[in-house]
């Protein structure tokens, strides 16, 4: 059985006796065991980061930028290899895993432009002989706590930006699929990153708590569920750390009566069931406005039997298993309980049978869903699409704006005025117009509103550089000796 340890100070280490299982979700078999870091393991990694960070901060921007270019080439050349590592431990199909890698590379591209992103400002002669300039400087040692559903993309969002800014990083990936993070650490080293600048520490909740309490860690980035995000934000902020904690989602897709319903149905199926619904930007609620309802449900239902659910390594598979058996059972519970809450189960994915012991479940469609039902209120994180019917555009907007989550939303319409008004009215961080999964490109930033985000800063792009740096303002004057005088008054211009 494969032993998965840590990556500290430029080399892989086994870790201690505390371990957790790693499975192949497509077979249900345990394929490895991952070391769960102790306080001592974390201390060793933080010490390595503290030792490496001053030299990395002093490294010229041109050399940092060159490492980013090399990293981009290494990951691009070996994308298939990395995608298969993702599939082996997460379960998503290889093509989807490759897409994840590509989206992560968008941020690496952004970081190759770090000279522009780290520029300061300068104003001369703001007062008599006085100049003022500002610079961006790194925070020091920062921690990145990443989720199981994107074991490459989100580390490339967080750690790459933090490193480009001159920080040293403690990366704590999900213990469910940890191997991809170790692969990335080796790729960084191959690209020329000095030892100790990126350290991968595997672990569980105890490890996370140790990170949140460690005095030498200046900032924490996190992606996960809302309850955990809130706890991380509260504890880390109480310890004086800068925090960005992205939480859960309940992404709605509004379908207006004038929409192209075939396009809307294709989009709903793609966005709801891709990666088995284990995406924080997955569409989990279709909001059918007026007469769109019956036709939309019919078109979605007729597409569902054609989906091929199977092992992610099978080129014919379109959707793989869920990450664990517990996740599979939890998702099934929402479908099985929906009718008892008054909803109508149109397609029951729990009835689909599979030939092996993997963590598979079929795709489900639930109609006549209303707020207050668990299938609506909770973040299911599985291949379940709920349909809520409303009579008007205003009712659709009110429904979405009343939801505690505000990560992503979409509207399908052929009317430009409706689309523009929707963008204006909706209280959600990322909006798609005829785009079901509006994940911004790397030049913008990713993040929701309300209880989908704890902290003030979104992830990657310009806001990522803001999060991982702090501003220093320098006021300069070079007076002649004859100009020196004592003045107890407040300085003025």
């Amino acid at each position: 059985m494969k032993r998965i340890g840590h990556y500290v100070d430029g080399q892989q280490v086994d870790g201690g006796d505390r371990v957790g299982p790693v499975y192949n979700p497509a077979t249900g078999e345990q394929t490895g065991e991952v070391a769960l870091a102790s306080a001592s393991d974390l201390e060793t990694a933080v010490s390595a980061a503290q030792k490496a960070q001053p030299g990395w901060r002093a490294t010229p921007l041109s050399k940092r930028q060159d490492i980013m270019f090399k990293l981009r080439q290494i990951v691009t050349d070996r994308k298939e290899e990395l995608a298969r590592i993702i599939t082996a431990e997460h379960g998503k199909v290889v093509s989807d895993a490759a897409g994840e890698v590509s989206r992560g590379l968008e941020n690496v591209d952004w970081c190759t432009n770090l000279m522009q992103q780290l520029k300061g400002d300068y104003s001369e002669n703001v007062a008599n002989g006085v100049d003022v300039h500002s610079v961006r400087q790194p925070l020091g040692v920062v921690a990145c706590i990443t989720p199981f559903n994107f074991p490459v993309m989100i580390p490339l969002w967080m750690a790459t930006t933090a490193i480009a800014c001159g920080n040293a990083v403690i990366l704590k990936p999900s213990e469910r699929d940890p191997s991809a993070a170790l692969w990335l650490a080796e790729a960084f080293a191959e690209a020329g990153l000095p030892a100790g600048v990126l350290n991968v520490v595997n672990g569980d909740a105890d490890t996370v708590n140790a990170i949140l309490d460690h005095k030498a860690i200046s900032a924490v980035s996190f992606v996960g569920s809302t309850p955990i995000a809130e706890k991380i934000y509260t504890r880390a902020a109480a310890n004086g750390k800068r925090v960005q904690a992205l939480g859960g989602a309940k992404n709605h897709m509004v379908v207006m009566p004038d929409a192209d319903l075939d396009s809307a149905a294709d989009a709903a199926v793609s966005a709801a069931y891709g990666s088995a619904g284990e995406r924080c930007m997955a569409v989990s609620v279709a909001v059918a406005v007026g007469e769109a309802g019956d036709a939309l449900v019919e078109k979605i239902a007729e597409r569902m039997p054609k989906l091929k659910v199977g092992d992610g390594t099978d080129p014919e598979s379109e959707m793989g298993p869920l990450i664990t058996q517990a996740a599979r059972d939890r998702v099934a519970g929402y479908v099985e309980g929906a009718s008892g809450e008054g909803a109508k189960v149109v397609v029951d994915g729990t009835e689909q049978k599979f030939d092996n012991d993997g963590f598979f479940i079929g795709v489900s469609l639930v109609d006549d869903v209303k707020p207050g039902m668990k299938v609506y209120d909770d973040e299911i994180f599985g291949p379940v699409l709920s349909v809520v019917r409303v009579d008007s555009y205003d009712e659709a907007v009110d429904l979405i704006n009343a939801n505690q989550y505000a990560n992503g939303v979409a509207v399908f319409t052929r009317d430009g005025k409706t689309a523009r008004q929707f963008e204006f009215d909706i209280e959600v961080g990322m909006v798609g117009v005829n785009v079901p999964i509006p994940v911004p490109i790397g030049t913008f930033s990713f993040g929701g509103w309300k209880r989908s985000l704890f902290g003030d800063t979104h992830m990657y792009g310009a806001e990522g550089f803001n999060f991982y740096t702090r501003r220093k303002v320098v006021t300069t004057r070079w007076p002649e000796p004859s100009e020196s005088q004592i003045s107890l008054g407040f300085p003025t211009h």
Side-chain angles (χ1 to χ4, degrees), residues 254 287-291 388-397 399:
V254 177
V287 183
V289 179
E291 62 187 25
V388 176
R389 297 180 183 238
V390 298
D391 294 328
S392 66
Y393 165 89
D394 289 338
E395 191 177 344
V397 170
L399 173 81

Side-chain angles (χ1 to χ4, degrees), residues 96-217:
D96 189 34
E100 170 188 342
V101 176
S102 294
R103 293 308 303 266
L105 283 170
E106 287 182 8
N107 191 58
V108 182
D109 287 339
W110 182 250
C111 291
T112 62
N113 192 28
L114 64 90
M115 284 194 182
Q116 175 67 26
Q117 306 311 319
L118 294 177
K119 283 172 59 176
D121 299 309
Y122 192 101
S123 294
E124 68 174 2
N125 213 40
V126 298
N128 188 26
V130 177
D131 302 327
V132 178
H133 71 274
S134 69
V135 294
R136 291 177 179 265
Q137 294 185 340
L139 305 178
V141 178
V142 302
C144 303
I145 304 170
T146 58
F148 75 84
N149 59 328
F150 288 106
V152 167
M153 184 179 75
I154 294 179
L156 287 178
W157 286 359
M158 293 181 183
T160 307
T161 305
I163 289 168
C165 291
N167 301 285
V169 172
I170 305 298
L171 171 59
K172 207 299 285 185
S174 170
E175 64 274 25
R176 296 174 184 173
D177 48 4
S179 295
L182 296 173
W183 190 99
L184 288 177
E186 295 281 10
F188 263 107
E190 186 179 339
L193 188 69
V197 176
L198 174 60
N199 304 276
V200 179
V201 177
N202 286 303
D204 54 8
D206 290 343
T207 310
V208 170
N209 288 334
I211 288 171
L212 302 180
D213 294 339
H214 201 292
K215 293 181 179 180
I217 295 175

